[in-house]
Amino acid sequence: MIALTSRRAHLPVVVRDIANNQIGLRTVSSLDESQPKSPPKKAAPKARSYSDKTLKLLFALCGNQCAHPDCTQPIIKAATQSSPDIVVGHISHIYAHSGKGPRGNPGMNEKQLGQADNLMLFCPTHHAIVDGQHETYPAVLLKQWKQQHERQYRENLSAKITDIGFAELEVAAKALLAPAAVGNGDFNAIPPAAKIAKNKLGATSTMLLTLGAAKSREVERVLQSASQLDSQFPDRLRSGLVMKYQELRAEGFEGDDLLLAMYEWAGGGGDKGREAAGLSILTHLFVICDVFEK
């Protein structure tokens, strides 16, 4: 007897009894039940995600350049007439995201592995090389590269702060002005160390404030000079800072995230000179203004 069976379970199918030349129906089991089943497909790996704070620290300190000492390729490719800016750099782990990956470290948990201290930004070529030839590029070497690369950014910013003068600070101060009425804050000086601790600011935020404080006297001179022509100029500048602070707090920013957002705003997204001037003014007002937590 020959049966033409269906692949669906327990359905009636046509069968033919060759000996008696008869056709009828009978119930058979599906071929699916008799054949070995394929192994279940593996779930796609979970996409890696990083906090806004981690990404801001990583990109802020990279200087828009690959972390390989011999490479000058950008991390963000500038816009053209036809296309917008594009991120071409790749995030690489010093200690692998997986304990079995390149430079794996089973002693670190997922949170530690995803922090900025364990991450670097490379161009696509060096990202592939560093991970593909990880025996040649151990974690201790990558840590040295990271420290050297980020130190260079700090030194460049520090040099810009040293170079800025009265005119640059004045332009930056005017750029930070907000069209708002004078606030009623308490603008007495607050000890920076206490304020930093109260706001739970980390090493990078402290570094930025330390750099910016180098020009505090010059900022004060700008404000005093401007007030001779416009007595409300310093208060309007302070009010602008307070308004931006309150706006960011309402959006859920706090701690390092809040200070970094303020830094980006004060820098104006311009050249390094404008960024340094904005940081100097932000630091000065951070110290004397009734903003952030006391």
Side-chain angles (χ1 to χ4, degrees):
M1 181 179 294
I2 299 175
L4 304 177
T5 61
S6 164
R7 294 184 65 85
R8 302 183 69 178
H10 305 296
L11 293 180
V13 295
V14 177
V15 296
R16 180 180 180 88
D17 187 338
I18 299 177
N20 300 316
N21 195 28
Q22 293 179 347
I23 297 176
L25 295 176
R26 60 175 290 191
T27 300
V28 298
S29 297
S30 167
L31 290 178
D32 291 337
E33 294 184 355
S34 60
Q35 294 182 352
K37 295 182 179 180
S38 300
K41 293 182 179 180
K42 293 183 178 179
K46 183 180 179 181
R48 297 171 192 170
S49 60
Y50 307 96
S51 70
D52 288 342
K53 173 185 173 182
T54 294
L55 293 176
K56 285 178 180 177
L57 289 173
L58 201 57
F59 278 83
L61 296 177
C62 78
N64 194 30
Q65 185 174 310
C66 174
H68 192 288
D70 300 325
C71 184
T72 59
Q73 289 297 309
I75 296 301
I76 301 176
K77 192 71 173 177
T80 66
Q81 290 184 345
S82 306
S83 305
D85 295 330
I86 182 174
V87 177
V88 295
H90 291 187
I91 295 177
S92 179
H93 287 72
I94 296 176
Y95 292 107
H97 185 261
S98 166
K100 298 180 180 179
R103 298 176 300 276
N105 185 350
M108 295 178 68
N109 59 40
E110 186 173 356
K111 182 178 180 181
Q112 292 172 323
L113 292 170
Q115 291 181 344
D117 288 345
N118 189 51
L119 303 174
M120 301 176 70
L121 282 167
F122 287 105
C123 67
T125 298
H126 283 117
H127 175 260
I129 292 173
V130 165
D131 279 358
Q133 298 180 323
H134 56 89
E135 300 89 352
T136 307
Y137 302 96
V140 63
L141 176 62
L142 296 190
K143 286 182 177 181
Q144 292 175 358
W145 285 4
K146 181 178 176 68
Q147 291 174 356
Q148 176 184 343
H149 190 69
E150 295 183 353
R151 182 169 60 247
Q152 181 180 358
Y153 166 83
R154 292 184 174 99
E155 290 173 351
N156 289 341
L157 180 58
S158 180
K160 286 292 183 181
I161 288 176
T162 301
D163 292 341
I164 60 176
F166 184 94
E168 291 85 355
L169 288 169
E170 185 177 30
V171 169
K174 290 179 179 178
L176 292 177
L177 281 176
V182 177
N184 295 318
D186 172 19
F187 299 126
N188 295 323
I190 299 171
K195 202 166 189 179
I196 287 171
K198 182 66 175 180
N199 287 276
K200 300 179 181 179
L201 301 181
T204 299
S205 296
T206 302
M207 177 271 295
L208 291 172
L209 291 172
T210 301
L211 290 176
K215 282 288 180 175
S216 184
R217 290 184 179 180
E218 285 83 348
V219 174
E220 182 63 30
R221 187 165 63 90
V222 167
L223 299 182
Q224 289 177 353
S225 177
S227 66
Q228 293 177 5
L229 299 176
D230 180 352
S231 61
Q232 291 189 336
F233 180 91
D235 284 334
R236 289 205 311 276
L237 184 61
R238 292 164 181 165
S239 294
L241 182 73
V242 173
M243 285 184 61
K244 188 63 181 180
Y245 167 83
Q246 292 173 342
E247 175 187 325
L248 292 170
R249 282 295 300 268
E251 293 176 8
F253 287 84
E254 59 183 15
D256 282 322
D257 291 338
L258 178 55
L259 184 75
L260 288 170
M262 294 288 290
Y263 170 49
E264 291 178 2
W265 167 73
D271 60 23
K272 288 297 180 182
R274 170 68 175 82
E275 180 181 348
L279 174 60
S280 297
I281 294 173
L282 173 63
T283 301
H284 181 75
L285 297 180
F286 172 85
V287 173
I288 69 171
C289 285
D290 187 19
V291 293
F292 285 82
E293 296 294 331
K294 291 186 179 182

